Amino acid sequence: MFYDFNIPYPNNNDSVELERIEKILSRINSITNKAIVALNLTLRGNLANVEPLNPIEPKKYPNIRQLTRATLLIEDTKQNYQLSSSSAYPKIDILAVRPTNLDICKHACQTLEVDLISLDLTTTRVLPNFATAQVAVNRGVFFEICYSQSFRDPNKKSLFFNNVKRLVEVTRGHNLIFSSEAIRALEIRRTADLRILASTYGMTHDQIEAAISVNYPRLLKKAETRRLTYNATISFDQTQLFRESDNANLKRKNTNNNEQQQQSKKAAKKAKKQQQK
């Protein structure tokens, strides 16, 4: 299974941008038989008006499951981004934030009810310290490494490398995922390439396998819990609950009818024996 949870999506339905995404999907389709990707809408302010994104050419790429992701740029800790409830924005498959400085990153790790923290690893003073990162890990929040950031600007490649190594250290390699954030199809990397790339950051074999495969389903499960529950309270599908209740009542009714039929047969046999005597 191939995963990429960051395919940038345009804020307007620009045909050129949609064609760009189609080329990326074509590239993914050429390197794998089955994939799950997230179309990422990056916004400022709030996410109140975000609706599920329409999949790009679903008939052409039936083996690629396309999710809706929204990433909110967090620029002020005093602003209310309406991310305090674990059931926020149920229409969004993956809810992410991108902090713009260290204080906001600390606030996101400790407070915000999100699925994913995406960092611009080509900038300075944006990484959490060990204690803050462990709070996020213990809360089940994931961190994203967008590998395409490393080769867009050669002057920032060294900074990106050092930041990723530091992120691996403060998280102890837990709750990390690799995403492309690809603008062009050629920026998509195969899973084997990601293994080699991750090894250069000092990640162990188990950490690498988790970051390129295991952690994606875990992230989707966390996102599903956010969408379907409120503050981790168990959520029930009322339609299914009523259907199960109706089935139980029908089964009970059929059982009672069978018992009545058996009693009637026994009574008829008894009456017949008495008549024969």
Side-chain angles (χ1 to χ4, degrees), residues 222-236:
K222 172 182 169 47
E224 182 182 12
T225 302
R226 169 187 56 79
R227 292 186 290 108
L228 300 180
T229 66
Y230 179 77
N231 290 337
T233 302
I234 297 176
S235 174
F236 292 99

Side-chain angles (χ1 to χ4, degrees), residues 197-254:
L197 187 64
S199 65
T200 64
Y201 303 138
M203 299 177 69
T204 66
H205 173 76
D206 291 341
Q207 291 171 349
I208 293 172
E209 291 305 312
I212 65 175
S213 60
V214 178
N215 286 346
Y216 297 98
R218 291 180 58 221
L219 173 56
L220 292 180
K221 188 64 177 178
K222 172 182 169 47
E224 182 182 12
T225 302
R226 169 187 56 79
R227 292 186 290 108
L228 300 180
T229 66
Y230 179 77
N231 290 337
T233 302
I234 297 176
S235 174
F236 292 99
D237 185 344
Q238 293 184 358
T239 303
Q240 182 178 1
L241 190 63
F242 292 148
R243 188 184 303 116
E244 291 177 353
S245 178
D246 292 340
N247 290 338
N249 291 335
L250 182 60
K251 185 176 180 180
R252 192 180 302 112
K253 183 178 179 181
N254 291 336

Side-chain angles (χ1 to χ4, degrees), residues 7 20 22 39 59 96 103 123 128 141 175 195 241 250 264:
I7 304 295
R20 171 187 62 80
E22 185 178 350
L39 304 179
K59 294 182 179 180
D103 291 335
T123 60
V141 179
N175 289 24
R195 285 191 176 92
L241 190 63
L250 182 60
S264 298

Side-chain angles (χ1 to χ4, degrees), residues 58-123:
K59 294 182 179 180
K60 187 176 180 180
Y61 307 109
N63 60 327
I64 301 179
R65 179 184 173 193
Q66 301 178 45
L67 306 176
T68 297
R69 166 180 165 176
T71 301
L72 188 62
L73 294 177
I74 306 293
E75 301 171 317
D76 186 1
T77 56
K78 297 180 181 179
Q79 183 175 343
N80 182 12
Y81 292 99
Q82 300 179 357
L83 295 173
S84 59
S85 172
S86 63
S87 60
Y89 311 109
K91 296 181 181 180
I92 300 173
D93 295 316
I94 300 175
L95 179 58
V97 293
R98 173 159 288 186
T100 54
N101 60 51
L102 182 58
D103 291 335
I104 295 174
C105 183
K106 182 178 180 180
H107 177 65
C109 291
Q110 296 177 340
T111 307
L112 299 183
E113 292 290 344
V114 297
D115 309 319
L116 182 65
I117 296 177
S118 178
L119 301 173
D120 184 354
L121 296 171
T122 61
T123 60

Side-chain angles (χ1 to χ4, degrees), residues 165-213:
K165 288 196 68 174
R166 178 58 180 165
L167 182 61
V168 173
E169 291 175 0
V170 297
T171 60
R172 290 183 174 175
H174 299 304
N175 289 24
L176 298 176
I177 66 167
F178 281 93
S179 299
S180 69
E181 200 175 51
I183 297 177
R184 298 179 303 164
L186 291 178
E187 293 178 346
I188 297 293
R189 294 293 184 266
R190 298 173 182 270
T191 304
D193 297 331
L194 295 182
R195 285 191 176 92
I196 298 173
L197 187 64
S199 65
T200 64
Y201 303 138
M203 299 177 69
T204 66
H205 173 76
D206 291 341
Q207 291 171 349
I208 293 172
E209 291 305 312
I212 65 175
S213 60

